[in-house]
Amino acid sequence: QVQLVESGGGLVQAGGSLRLSCASSGLTFTNYHMAWFRQAPGKEREFVAGIGRIGVNTRYDDLLKGRFTISRHNPRNTVYLQMNTLNPEDTAVYFCAADGPVYMFRDISTGVREYDYWGQGTQVTVSA
C-alpha cells in the first residue's frame, strides 16, 4: 500500500524556518513527481512546490518569492520542503503528494487533480 507521511510541522515565530519531510513507501519513488500543497482554514488547497523524478526540475508558486525550496533524496524515498522567512500567511496544513508513475518526460503539475497519492498533512502555524 502506498503511504506518504509528513513530519516537521509545528509552531514557529514570524521570520523563522522549518523543514518538512515526507517519507514514502509502497511505490517506486523514482517514477513519481512529488509536490507540496497547503490548505489554510476556509481556503482551497493550493500548490506550493513540485519536483521531478530525479530532482533536477522544480516548480514553485510565484507568490512564495523564493522563500521555499523543495528537494528530494531518492535513496531514502523522501522529499523535503525548506521554508524560510515564514510569516503568518504561511499558516496551513501542508500536504505531500505523488503524481505517477511517470515513464516519459512531462511537466510538473500544479493541479490537485493530477496527483494520485496524498499524505495526511502536517500543521504549520506561524505566530506574529
Side-chain angles (χ1 to χ4, degrees):
Q1 299 184 60
V2 174
Q3 289 190 340
L4 305 177
V5 181
E6 302 95 336
S7 62
L11 176 64
V12 64
Q13 292 184 336
S17 299
L18 285 173
R19 189 181 73 159
L20 306 183
S21 298
C22 172
S24 67
S25 61
L27 77 172
T28 303
F29 185 66
T30 53
N31 288 344
Y32 286 79
H33 291 172
M34 302 297 296
W36 290 94
F37 291 76
R38 68 185 184 183
Q39 188 166 20
K43 302 294 182 63
E44 295 184 358
R45 192 167 298 186
E46 65 177 355
F47 177 81
V48 173
I51 191 165
R53 289 169 291 170
I54 63 172
V56 173
N57 296 317
T58 58
R59 189 172 186 177
Y60 296 92
D61 183 340
D62 290 339
L63 298 178
L64 294 178
K65 298 177 176 66
R67 296 184 295 114
F68 290 8
T69 303
I70 189 171
S71 62
R72 66 194 294 164
H73 193 257
N74 288 346
R76 291 198 293 266
N77 296 340
T78 301
V79 61
Y80 304 94
L81 184 69
Q82 179 67 45
M83 306 186 295
N84 297 325
T85 319
L86 289 163
N87 60 67
E89 289 69 43
D90 296 316
T91 295
V93 177
Y94 283 72
F95 296 91
C96 177
D99 169 23
V102 178
Y103 296 115
M104 296 188 69
F105 175 82
R106 68 168 186 254
D107 288 344
I108 299 166
S109 178
T110 62
V112 169
R113 287 178 51 85
E114 297 299 320
Y115 286 83
D116 303 290
Y117 302 104
W118 294 85
Q120 292 298 118
T122 185
Q123 176 71 47
V124 172
T125 303
V126 184
S127 62

